[in-house]
Amino acid sequence: MTLPALMNTYGRLPVSFVRGEGVRLFDEQGKGYIDGISGIGVNALGHAHPGVTQAITEQAGKLLHTSNLYNVQRQQQLAESLRDASGMDNVFFANSGAEANEAAIKLARMHGHQRGIDIPHVVVMEQAFHGRTLATLTASGNRKIQAGFEPLVRGFIRAPFGDIAALESIANNNDSVAAVLLEPIQGEGGLHVLPEGFLKQLRELCDRNNWLLMLDEVQTGNGRTGKYFAYQHDGVLPDVLVTAKGLGNGLPIGACLAHGKAASLFHPGNHGSTFGGNPLACAAGQVVVETLNTEEMRNHVSDVGDYLRAGLRERLADAQHVVEVRGRGLMVGVELNSPCAGLVKQALDQGLLINVTAERVVRLLPPLIISRQEVDALLDILCPLILQWPAQSDAA
């Protein structure tokens, strides 16, 4: 028996896309689909964006790789743009969100050791998702993705998401904590949004206890919530910031940004990446930052995101099985009262790409360039499917 050439790591849907344009994808038969998930928050500027296409085409004709043993001009340019967009001090480039989170965890441990802590701990949240390397797997709050990979990495303490009292208790009873790591909005965990004012309280708690405040904005960053980074809604500044996904609009790139005391922790030899910050990925990233870090684009995301959530609430108002519509900007979740993974295939058949996370939350992460008219088209497909879901799932 011959095994497939690809490892069996994904439950793939029966479709193959060959072309994209804006918020739409096209399969081998020419059928068009509204992309409501944008590669899980990756294609922020949509498909075949002319600025990204031109940048990577020109860069590919000049230089792809030289190694981080030398100065990389594109990397320096993107680092300065991210610094300006974030208020952070400096950047380490990796190839993914998981790798960038690994850098953050290493910064936390180095900070802890400099404080004289023998075994530094990082406080992480229940239902969190930070990646699939061994350290980020352990930091994630999902037993399903951890099973079979024990022993996990020590050095993590778990707390309820958005519970400042629980974090205060940890601070009062544990002197081995060096940092806290969390997502402003939990993506894989079900589109849970932090309570109003929580980040300011957490910033104060971290300052009192000499903890690093580390934010995982792999999904929420790069304009997704209506600010360039989600923490900017709250007027705080983290010590460590992680982003990826939308930064490259499809090219692999991740970034770990640091501020203040965290910005001077790494020295040559402490960390590295062969491909991190290569000229091609940075060329794409530069176009993304320049395009998204404008008042016009931020206002567009806020406006269309409000329009999408309002449309969902209005059309699903009478559905007793819809628990809540929540999110921020163009990061939106519709929670049902039962598992609804089957909606993904039903939506695909109707020409819409969606995703279900935490078993019963329909997750929408459309390209940030989506228009109100395209939102209407998305709602015309999705809402009838959700309204009919209980009867269809019972019949199944």
Side-chain angles (χ1 to χ4, degrees), residues 104-126:
I105 293 167
K106 289 178 72 173
L107 283 171
R109 290 194 170 188
M110 184 162 283
H111 173 64
H113 284 299
Q114 288 190 1
R115 288 180 50 202
I117 302 173
D118 290 335
I119 304 177
H121 283 70
V122 177
V123 180
V124 292
M125 303 296 117
E126 295 174 359

Side-chain angles (χ1 to χ4, degrees), residues 89-255:
D89 290 333
N90 54 25
V91 185
F92 172 82
F93 285 111
N95 307 287
S96 66
E99 289 180 55
N101 272 319
E102 284 277 349
I105 293 167
K106 289 178 72 173
L107 283 171
R109 290 194 170 188
M110 184 162 283
H111 173 64
H113 284 299
Q114 288 190 1
R115 288 180 50 202
I117 302 173
D118 290 335
I119 304 177
H121 283 70
V122 177
V123 180
V124 292
M125 303 296 117
E126 295 174 359
Q127 300 174 296
F129 183 83
H130 298 294
R132 294 179 184 272
T133 64
L134 277 176
T136 58
L137 187 77
T138 307
S140 298
N142 185 337
R143 182 57 193 153
K144 286 185 177 180
I145 66 170
Q146 296 172 342
F149 299 108
E150 298 85 353
L152 300 176
V153 179
R154 65 176 181 171
F156 295 95
I157 300 170
R158 202 164 304 282
F161 183 71
D163 188 339
I164 196 67
L167 293 169
E168 293 273 8
S169 179
I170 291 172
N172 293 332
N173 293 283
N174 194 317
D175 58 5
S176 69
V177 175
V180 57
L181 172 65
L182 74 162
E183 306 151 274
I185 302 175
Q186 291 187 327
E188 297 293 329
L191 272 290
H192 297 288
V193 183
L194 283 173
E196 189 75 24
F198 177 86
L199 276 183
K200 287 188 176 180
Q201 294 176 302
L202 182 56
R203 176 71 273 177
E204 293 170 0
L205 178 65
C206 289
D207 290 341
R208 290 199 307 270
N209 291 278
N210 197 11
W211 295 355
L212 296 182
L213 172 55
M214 308 199 303
L215 296 181
D216 178 345
E217 295 224 25
V218 170
Q219 282 195 34
T220 56
N222 305 297
R224 177 59 56 183
T225 68
K227 298 285 189 181
Y228 199 87
F229 290 106
Y231 67 83
Q232 293 169 331
H233 290 284
D234 296 88
V236 301
L237 193 64
D239 300 297
V240 179
L241 169 66
V242 173
T243 192
K245 287 193 180 290
L247 181 57
N249 206 60
L251 286 181
I253 184 170

